[in-house]
Coordinates of all heavy atoms in Angstrom, one line a residue:
F391 N 6.3 -7.7 7.5 CA 7.0 -7.8 8.8 C 8.0 -8.9 8.8 O 8.0 -9.9 9.5 CB 5.9 -8.2 9.9 CG 4.8 -7.2 10.0 CD1 3.5 -7.6 9.7 CD2 5.0 -5.9 10.4 CE1 2.5 -6.6 9.8 CE2 4.0 -5.0 10.5 CZ 2.7 -5.3 10.2
S392 N 9.0 -8.6 8.0 CA 10.2 -9.5 7.9 C 11.1 -9.4 9.1 O 10.9 -8.5 10.0 CB 11.0 -9.2 6.6 OG 11.4 -7.9 6.7
G393 N 12.0 -10.3 9.3 CA 12.9 -10.2 10.4 C 12.5 -11.2 11.6 O 13.0 -11.1 12.7
F394 N 11.6 -12.2 11.3 CA 11.2 -13.1 12.3 C 11.4 -14.5 11.8 O 10.4 -15.3 11.6 CB 9.8 -12.9 12.8 CG 9.5 -11.6 13.4 CD1 9.2 -10.5 12.6 CD2 9.7 -11.4 14.8 CE1 8.9 -9.2 13.2 CE2 9.5 -10.1 15.3 CZ 9.1 -9.1 14.6
P395 N 12.6 -14.9 11.4 CA 12.8 -16.3 10.8 C 12.3 -17.4 11.7 O 11.9 -18.4 11.2 CB 14.3 -16.3 10.5 CG 14.9 -15.3 11.5 CD 13.9 -14.2 11.6
D396 N 12.4 -17.2 13.0 CA 12.0 -18.3 13.9 C 10.5 -18.5 13.9 O 10.1 -19.7 14.0 CB 12.5 -18.0 15.4 CG 12.0 -16.6 15.8 OD1 11.9 -15.7 14.9 OD2 11.7 -16.4 17.0
L397 N 9.8 -17.5 13.6 CA 8.3 -17.6 13.6 C 7.8 -18.1 12.2 O 6.9 -18.8 12.1 CB 7.6 -16.3 13.8 CG 7.7 -15.7 15.3 CD1 7.0 -14.4 15.3 CD2 7.0 -16.7 16.2
Y398 N 8.6 -17.7 11.2 CA 8.1 -18.0 9.8 C 8.7 -19.3 9.2 O 8.2 -19.7 8.1 CB 8.4 -16.8 8.9 CG 7.9 -15.5 9.3 CD1 8.4 -14.3 8.9 CD2 6.8 -15.4 10.2 CE1 7.9 -13.1 9.3 CE2 6.2 -14.2 10.6 CZ 6.8 -13.0 10.2 OH 6.3 -11.8 10.6
E399 N 9.7 -19.9 9.8 CA 10.4 -21.0 9.2 C 9.4 -22.1 8.8 O 9.4 -22.7 7.7 CB 11.5 -21.5 10.1 CG 12.3 -22.6 9.5 CD 13.4 -23.1 10.4 OE1 13.5 -22.5 11.6 OE2 14.2 -23.9 10.0
N400 N 8.6 -22.5 9.8 CA 7.7 -23.7 9.5 C 6.6 -23.3 8.5 O 6.1 -24.1 7.7 CB 7.0 -24.1 10.8 CG 8.0 -24.7 11.8 OD1 9.0 -25.2 11.4 ND2 7.6 -24.6 13.1
I401 N 6.2 -22.0 8.5 CA 5.2 -21.6 7.5 C 5.8 -21.7 6.1 O 5.1 -22.2 5.2 CB 4.7 -20.1 7.8 CG1 4.1 -20.1 9.2 CG2 3.8 -19.6 6.7 CD1 3.7 -18.7 9.6
L402 N 7.0 -21.2 5.9 CA 7.6 -21.2 4.6 C 7.8 -22.7 4.1 O 7.7 -22.9 2.9 CB 9.0 -20.5 4.7 CG 9.0 -19.0 4.8 CD1 10.4 -18.4 5.1 CD2 8.3 -18.3 3.6
E403 N 8.1 -23.5 5.1 CA 8.2 -25.0 4.7 C 6.9 -25.6 4.2 O 6.9 -26.3 3.2 CB 8.8 -25.7 5.9 CG 9.0 -27.2 5.6 CD 10.0 -27.5 4.6 OE1 10.9 -26.7 4.4 OE2 10.0 -28.6 4.0
V404 N 5.8 -25.2 4.8 CA 4.6 -25.9 4.5 C 3.9 -25.3 3.2 O 3.1 -25.9 2.6 CB 3.6 -25.8 5.7 CG1 2.9 -24.4 5.8 CG2 2.5 -26.8 5.6
I405 N 4.3 -24.0 2.9 CA 3.8 -23.4 1.6 C 4.8 -23.3 0.5 O 4.5 -22.6 -0.5 CB 3.2 -22.0 2.0 CG1 4.3 -21.1 2.4 CG2 2.1 -22.1 3.0 CD1 3.8 -19.6 2.6
K406 N 5.9 -24.0 0.6 CA 7.0 -23.8 -0.3 C 6.6 -24.2 -1.7 O 7.2 -23.8 -2.7 CB 8.3 -24.5 0.1 CG 8.1 -26.0 0.2 CD 9.4 -26.7 0.7 CE 9.2 -28.2 0.8 NZ 10.4 -28.8 1.4
E407 N 5.7 -25.2 -1.8 CA 5.3 -25.7 -3.2 C 4.2 -24.9 -3.8 O 3.8 -25.1 -5.0 CB 4.8 -27.1 -3.0 CG 5.8 -28.1 -2.5 CD 5.3 -29.5 -2.3 OE1 4.1 -29.7 -2.4 OE2 6.1 -30.4 -1.9
L408 N 3.7 -23.9 -3.1 CA 2.6 -23.0 -3.6 C 3.2 -21.8 -4.2 O 4.2 -21.3 -3.9 CB 1.6 -22.7 -2.5 CG 0.9 -23.9 -1.8 CD1 0.2 -23.5 -0.6 CD2 -0.1 -24.5 -2.8
P409 N 2.5 -21.2 -5.2 CA 3.0 -20.0 -5.9 C 3.2 -18.8 -4.9 O 2.4 -18.6 -4.0 CB 1.9 -19.6 -6.9 CG 1.1 -20.9 -7.1 CD 1.2 -21.6 -5.8
K410 N 4.3 -18.1 -5.1 CA 4.6 -16.9 -4.3 C 4.4 -15.6 -5.2 O 4.9 -15.6 -6.3 CB 6.0 -17.0 -3.8 CG 6.4 -15.8 -3.0 CD 7.9 -15.9 -2.5 CE 8.3 -14.7 -1.7 NZ 9.7 -14.7 -1.3
P411 N 3.7 -14.7 -4.7 CA 3.5 -13.4 -5.5 C 4.8 -12.7 -5.5 O 5.7 -12.8 -4.6 CB 2.5 -12.6 -4.7 CG 2.5 -13.2 -3.3 CD 2.9 -14.6 -3.4
G412 N 5.0 -11.9 -6.6 CA 6.2 -11.1 -6.8 C 6.2 -9.9 -5.8 O 5.2 -9.5 -5.2
E413 N 7.4 -9.4 -5.6 CA 7.6 -8.3 -4.7 C 6.8 -7.1 -5.1 O 6.1 -6.4 -4.3 CB 9.1 -7.9 -4.6 CG 9.4 -6.8 -3.6 CD 10.9 -6.4 -3.6 OE1 11.7 -7.2 -4.1 OE2 11.2 -5.4 -3.0
K414 N 6.7 -6.8 -6.4 CA 5.9 -5.7 -6.9 C 4.4 -5.8 -6.5 O 3.8 -4.9 -6.1 CB 6.1 -5.5 -8.4 CG 5.4 -4.3 -9.0 CD 5.6 -4.2 -10.5 CE 4.9 -3.0 -11.1 NZ 5.1 -2.9 -12.5
K415 N 3.9 -7.0 -6.7 CA 2.5 -7.3 -6.4 C 2.2 -7.1 -4.9 O 1.2 -6.6 -4.5 CB 2.1 -8.7 -6.9 CG 0.6 -9.0 -6.7 CD 0.2 -10.3 -7.2 CE -1.3 -10.6 -7.0 NZ -1.7 -11.9 -7.6
M416 N 3.1 -7.7 -4.1 CA 2.9 -7.6 -2.7 C 2.9 -6.1 -2.2 O 2.2 -5.7 -1.4 CB 4.0 -8.4 -1.9 CG 3.8 -9.9 -2.1 SD 4.9 -10.9 -1.0 CE 6.5 -10.6 -1.8
K417 N 3.8 -5.3 -2.8 CA 3.9 -3.9 -2.4 C 2.6 -3.2 -2.8 O 2.0 -2.4 -2.1 CB 5.0 -3.2 -3.1 CG 6.4 -3.5 -2.5 CD 7.5 -2.7 -3.2 CE 8.8 -2.9 -2.5 NZ 9.9 -2.2 -3.2

Side-chain angles (χ1 to χ4, degrees):
F391 301 116
S392 57
F394 298 91
D396 54 327
L397 290 179
Y398 302 157
E399 183 177 4
N400 292 336
I401 298 175
L402 291 172
E403 178 65 25
V404 78
I405 64 175
K406 64 182 180 181
E407 298 176 355
L408 298 169
K410 178 182 178 181
E413 183 177 349
K414 182 178 180 181
K415 182 177 182 180
M416 289 190 289
K417 284 183 176 180

